[in-house]
């Protein structure tokens, strides 16, 4: 008799997340929860990786409200660990939401993550690339200038974890390109 494994569900969840199919990812996630309960096999219950994929599915769609809701639910679960990948997913959902206040909100969260030792993990270049992306999506000179300022800080910081990478350069270019589209 075939018994599904969590890894199988996770592969499907991840595929839906990468395709930006948040509704389908949510359906698989909910099925996992119900199935684990129905057969009384809690090894099939969604874990950190499953929650992370679900958050990234919503991030890809720019659905910050859903991603934040999943994050809060995840934070209240026992045996589920919030890590940098999860936080970057939530930040990405905010960036992709198109909200004009997204860069300010992301900056505030990053500042709290830097100053609050309760987070228990270090930031990386991806976190700052998400901030750059949020500036590029503002489609304004101000957004491009803020992206440029952040990029220069990344270049000049002594912390090698934040040094610009390929994505940093692309976001910088897109910020200026997008600013030019509206002026």
């Amino acid at each position: 008799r075939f018994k599904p494994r969590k890894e199988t569900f996770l592969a499907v969840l991840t595929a839906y997340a990468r395709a930006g199919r948040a509704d389908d990812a949510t359906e698989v996630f909910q099925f996992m929860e119900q199935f684990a309960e129905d057969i009384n096999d809690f090894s099939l219950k969604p874990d950190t990786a499953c929650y992370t994929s679900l958050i990234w599915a919503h991030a890809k769609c720019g659905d910050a409200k859903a991603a934040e809701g999943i994050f809060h639910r995840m934070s209240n679960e026992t045996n589920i660990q919030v890590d940098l990948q999860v936080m970057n997913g939530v930040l990405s959902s905010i960036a992709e939401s198109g909200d004009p206040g997204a860069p300010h909100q992301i900056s505030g969260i990053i500042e709290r993550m830097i100053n609050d030792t309760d987070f228990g993990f270090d930031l990386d270049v991806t976190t700052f690339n998400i901030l750059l992306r949020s500036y590029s999506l503002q489609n304004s000179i101000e957004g491009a200038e803020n992206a440029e300022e952040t990029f220069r800080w990344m270049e000049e910081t002594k912390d090698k974890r934040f040094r610009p990478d390929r994505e940093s350069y692309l976001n910088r270019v897109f910020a200026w390109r997008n600013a030019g589209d509206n002026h």
Side-chain angles (χ1 to χ4, degrees):
R1 181 178 143 137
F2 173 75
K3 179 185 171 207
R5 296 176 43 212
K6 187 183 302 185
E7 293 80 8
T8 307
F9 287 116
L10 179 58
V12 174
L13 262 173
T14 302
Y16 282 142
R18 288 184 179 155
R21 295 174 55 180
D23 291 341
D24 291 324
T26 300
E27 193 175 317
V28 170
F29 187 90
Q30 291 170 341
F31 177 82
M32 283 179 73
E33 291 180 307
Q34 188 60 53
F35 187 68
E37 193 171 308
D38 289 349
I39 67 168
N40 200 29
D41 183 350
F42 294 99
S43 71
L44 294 173
K45 204 171 172 206
D47 60 9
T48 300
C50 297
Y51 274 96
T52 302
S53 286
L54 188 58
I55 285 172
W56 277 98
H58 288 281
K60 185 122 182 176
C61 297
D63 189 350
K65 185 175 181 177
E68 290 174 24
I70 296 161
F71 168 77
H72 289 298
R73 179 177 169 204
M74 178 184 187
S75 300
N76 292 325
E77 289 281 329
T78 55
N79 301 323
I80 302 291
Q81 176 134 12
V82 174
D83 59 15
L84 184 58
Q85 183 75 4
V86 170
M87 288 305 300
N88 283 341
V90 172
L91 293 176
S92 185
S93 73
I94 296 167
E96 298 297 329
S97 72
D99 182 338
H104 180 72
Q105 186 178 359
I106 292 168
S107 294
I109 293 169
I110 289 172
E111 191 171 311
R112 283 195 307 276
M113 290 168 69
I114 290 170
N115 295 326
D116 188 348
T117 57
D118 287 343
F119 276 99
F121 48 83
D122 293 325
L123 305 182
D124 63 8
V125 69
T126 301
T127 309
F128 288 93
N129 284 339
I130 293 167
L131 179 59
L132 289 172
R133 171 88 175 136
S134 73
Y135 287 133
S136 78
L137 293 172
Q138 296 302 296
N139 299 328
S140 68
I141 295 292
E142 181 183 358
E145 289 171 344
N146 287 329
E148 186 69 30
E149 183 180 327
T150 301
F151 183 88
R152 291 199 187 282
W153 174 84
M154 291 169 72
E155 280 185 315
E156 295 167 4
T157 185
K158 291 179 178 24
D159 194 331
K160 293 181 192 295
R161 293 174 300 157
F162 306 136
R163 292 289 163 81
D165 62 9
R166 178 182 174 276
E167 188 175 339
S168 310
Y169 282 91
L170 287 172
N171 282 318
R172 178 189 190 194
V173 169
F174 290 148
W176 285 109
R177 186 207 62 197
N178 293 347
D181 287 348
N182 288 318
H183 289 86

